Amino acid sequence: MKKSIIVLLTIAVAMSSCNKKEQKQVKPSVRVETEVISDHAGRAGRSYVGIVEEREGTAVSFTGMGVVKRVFVNEGQPVRRGQLIAEMDDTQARNLLSGAEASMTQANDALERMKMLHDNGSLPEMQWVEVQSRVAQARSQLAMARKNLSDCRLVAPVSGIVGRKQVGAGETALPSQAVVTILDISSVKVKVSVPETEINSITPSTPSTIRVEAIDRQFAGGYIEKGVQADALTHTYDIRIRVNNHGHRLLPGMVANVSFNTAGNESPGGKLLPFNAVQKSAEGSLYVWTVSKDSTVHRARVDVGATSGNRIAIIGGLKNGQRVVTEGYQKLSEGTKVVY
């Protein structure tokens, strides 16, 4: 009996040690960001963070004061020029129009009666002029009343996308108070703040590349509008880069990463990596973490060259096609399994 117990304990201890070994062998993979090495010769790019803006924004408002009866559009909805946006309660406007029409009818009737007397020569010229003046006044009041009624209907002056709805049904709209804002995003502008020490290197035709992570797309920048007044605190100038927006995928407020290829910012060639991808060992040598085909990482000693924006040239130690860890390196050690 004792022998059986000893055998069972021995088997249990052996299985436990095997499980521990298996647990030690299975290590969770570390998630990292990587970049494949390639040569970047010629001009280097300066990188900035920008914000997407609409090409033009139009605030649409009533010309008079009144209670909004209905709003026919929602935020984000495309609208065409001339499309009905909202209606105001037109009861008072209709009453004024009825009164103006009655005055116009009365003035015309008086004009017809007085005309017969005037043609017969029995009406003084002064009275004839007064009758004509009343008709003109009635006509002017009628036109104004018709316009007031028409102004109770708010139509889109331009085509675009409804950006923000600021007044809803039941609320009182004031003259010139925006009911909605219509944004033209057929093309957009990317606003970037550039330090005063770098603004002179950017011209209206400087090539630029714009990356928008929100939609995972990259665009070529167009004509650049340069501001001429610096921010008093940051000493930066605002510039705006025109970008075509086919499909309206770029929306105002999206964050964009902007890179400029500016003259006088030449790269010595080589392989450019972000600063944080290059680490320094205890001995003082520089290295990066490279990812092998089996998804394990290994240190690779490198030699660095000139910097360009937030990137640095690797002039030795790496080959084209090698994958290098750029984010998540804090948890790595030799042979760590990674996913990217």
Side-chain angles (χ1 to χ4, degrees):
M1 183 67 180
K2 291 182 178 180
K3 291 182 178 180
S4 300
I5 294 174
I6 293 172
V7 171
L8 290 173
L9 289 173
T10 304
I11 293 173
V13 171
M15 291 179 64
S16 176
S17 63
C18 289
N19 289 336
K20 288 181 179 179
K21 288 181 180 179
E22 289 179 359
Q23 290 176 1
K24 289 180 180 179
Q25 290 174 355
V26 178
K27 294 182 178 179
S29 299
V30 177
R31 179 166 294 278
V32 296
E33 298 290 334
T34 65
E35 191 171 308
V36 177
I37 289 294
S38 62
D39 283 326
H40 296 268
R43 292 181 175 177
R46 288 179 175 174
S47 297
Y48 305 87
V49 176
I51 297 293
V52 177
E53 293 182 342
E54 67 274 9
R55 178 187 177 189
E56 189 173 354
T58 303
V60 185
S61 60
F62 289 105
T63 58
M65 184 177 71
V67 177
V68 176
K69 186 164 60 175
R70 283 179 292 181
V71 180
F72 297 96
V73 297
N74 296 311
E75 293 182 0
Q77 177 180 336
V79 294
R80 302 181 307 276
R81 180 178 180 181
Q83 180 175 335
L84 182 62
I85 299 295
E87 282 184 340
M88 185 185 290
D89 185 1
D90 59 359
T91 303
Q92 184 177 0
R94 289 187 179 279
N95 292 336
L96 291 175
L97 178 61
S98 297
E101 289 174 341
S103 297
M104 187 75 249
T105 300
Q106 184 179 9
N108 285 332
D109 289 344
L111 180 67
E112 291 296 325
R113 292 194 302 269
M114 294 302 177
K115 185 175 185 302
M116 296 176 59
L117 297 175
H118 179 267
D119 292 343
N120 293 331
S122 56
L123 183 70
E125 191 66 25
M126 182 176 294
Q127 292 185 9
W128 175 242
V129 171
E130 290 178 355
V131 170
Q132 289 180 316
S133 297
R134 293 193 190 99
V135 171
Q137 290 175 356
R139 186 180 296 114
S140 175
Q141 292 174 354
L142 178 60
M144 186 177 298
R146 286 173 176 170
K147 185 179 185 306
N148 287 338
L149 179 61
S150 175
D151 287 344
C152 291
R153 291 167 51 88
L154 186 63
V155 298
V158 295
S159 299
I161 303 291
V162 177
R164 180 173 296 179
K165 186 167 67 172
Q166 299 177 332
V167 177
E171 297 180 359
T172 300
L174 300 176
S176 302
Q177 177 190 9
V179 177
V180 298
T181 303
I182 299 177
L183 308 179
D184 180 2
I185 58 172
S186 55
S187 64
V188 295
K189 299 177 182 180
V190 177
K191 185 179 78 170
V192 179
S193 296
V194 178
E196 60 181 10
T197 56
E198 301 174 11
I199 189 65
N200 287 334
S201 63
I202 298 174
T203 68
S205 58
T206 297
S208 61
T209 302
I210 297 164
R211 176 78 183 175
V212 181
E213 296 295 341
I215 58 175
D216 193 25
R217 290 286 301 276
Q218 185 167 297
F219 303 85
Y223 181 82
I224 297 175
E225 303 173 7
K226 294 177 61 175
V228 295
Q229 187 170 359
D231 185 279
L233 296 177
T234 62
H235 297 282
T236 58
Y237 290 84
D238 286 341
I239 67 171
R240 288 173 171 82
I241 311 162
R242 297 181 187 176
V243 182
N244 291 325
N245 191 22
H246 302 299
H248 295 173
R249 299 194 64 185
L250 289 172
L251 300 177
M254 285 183 173
V255 178
N257 295 316
V258 181
S259 298
F260 292 104
N261 291 330
T262 55
N265 190 26
E266 299 295 325
S267 167
K271 305 162 180 63
L272 296 177
L273 284 176
F275 275 130
N276 57 358
V278 181
Q279 305 297 308
K280 191 173 184 179
S281 68
E283 296 80 18
S285 60
L286 301 178
Y287 68 92
V288 297
W289 289 107
T290 60
V291 183
S292 61
K293 292 182 179 179
D294 61 356
S295 296
T296 58
V297 296
H298 306 278
R299 289 191 182 191
R301 185 170 177 173
V302 295
D303 297 318
V304 300
T307 61
S308 172
N310 61 352
R311 300 174 76 84
I312 188 168
I314 308 299
I315 59 177
L318 295 177
K319 296 180 181 179
N320 286 340
Q322 283 187 282
R323 186 175 293 276
V324 176
V325 176
T326 57
E327 295 288 345
Y329 50 83
Q330 296 89 345
K331 299 180 181 180
L332 299 182
S333 60
E334 188 67 25
T336 299
K337 196 87 169 180
V338 296
V339 290
Y340 51 88

